[in-house]
Amino acid sequence: MTGAVYRAAPLALIDLAQGSEYTRSNFIAYLAIMSRLSIELPSHFPFSTTLTIGIGDINYGGHMGNDAVLRLAHEARLRFLKSLGHTEMDVHGCGIIMSDAAVVYRAEAFHGDELVVSVAVADFNKYGCDLLYAMVRKRDGTEIARVKTGIVFFDYPARKVARAPSAFVSRFQPTTDTDGERHEGLPTE
């Protein structure tokens, strides 16, 4: 992803040096030819919540800022864990740490928009999993963003990474429906 950001700048600088007009549409065209990040979402989500875009979520461009997307994902994660009887400091005795994050922007969101943020669990490993988020504007169904956060389970008193709690893992193991379709992040109960 970082490499993709740096590839756009030299192209824009070359064009500017050659006298072409640099516009937003030119930049968007550059972005379209760059390699893009992709986040595949499951067909079903075990949890959804509605969040409203506040004035603090708006940037100088008049739309929701990139920092707000992760903040909203964090709020959705807290609500998801709470719905399961957990907190970020206690998921079956372990805390969690966000190890990485990826965002794919699909459309603009504005002050006052209500977003339905859906959360699913996927890709378990020995010490963690991914949480996947779909952010959709409630009034018209427009997909605003897709987010993936890598989660690592952590033993805070011992200050070390912990194994993913088996009770949490077993609750969200991939399932197969009667048609043979596999679903990630669905509760097994």
Side-chain angles (χ1 to χ4, degrees):
M1 186 161 72
T2 303
V5 171
Y6 289 111
R7 279 198 297 265
L11 290 173
L13 293 174
I14 290 168
D15 275 2
L16 285 172
Q18 294 173 349
S20 66
E21 182 180 334
Y22 181 73
T23 65
R24 182 172 188 230
S25 61
N26 289 353
F27 182 68
I28 290 171
Y30 291 131
L31 292 178
I33 62 172
M34 294 169 28
S35 94
R36 305 302 310 156
L37 177 67
S38 176
I39 298 173
E40 296 300 318
L41 296 177
S43 57
H44 298 84
F45 289 86
F47 178 82
S48 291
T49 190
T50 301
L51 301 172
T52 302
I53 305 298
I55 194 63
D57 298 323
I58 302 302
N59 66 14
Y60 58 87
H63 54 236
M64 180 173 61
N66 57 9
D67 58 324
V69 173
L70 287 177
R71 194 169 39 255
L72 293 172
H74 187 195
E75 179 64 30
R77 180 172 62 251
L78 289 173
R79 292 181 184 190
F80 168 63
L81 290 171
K82 184 176 181 180
S83 77
L84 300 172
H86 303 307
T87 68
E88 288 187 319
M89 295 301 291
D90 186 5
V91 177
H92 296 287
C94 294
I96 62 170
I97 293 176
M98 187 171 69
S99 60
D100 57 56
V103 179
V104 174
Y105 302 97
R106 310 287 284 189
E108 294 176 299
F110 303 96
H111 179 256
D113 280 350
E114 289 186 310
L115 301 184
V116 175
V117 183
S118 302
V119 182
V121 183
D123 297 329
F124 277 98
N125 62 55
K126 189 174 178 179
Y127 300 107
C129 60
D130 288 338
L131 294 182
L132 302 170
Y133 312 77
M135 296 184 175
V136 175
R137 188 171 22 247
K138 189 174 185 176
R139 74 176 152 81
D140 63 7
T142 299
E143 183 180 20
I144 303 301
R146 295 178 177 197
V147 180
K148 180 202 79 71
T149 57
I151 300 300
V152 174
F153 291 93
F154 197 74
D155 180 340
Y156 277 93
R159 309 301 302 169
K160 66 179 189 175
V161 172
R163 291 181 78 79
S166 60
F168 188 80
V169 173
S170 64
R171 182 175 189 144
F172 293 102
Q173 282 297 323
T175 60
T176 304
D177 66 18
T178 55
D179 296 331
E181 186 176 334
R182 183 181 156 124
H183 300 286
E184 295 282 344
L186 291 176
T188 56
E189 40 186 66

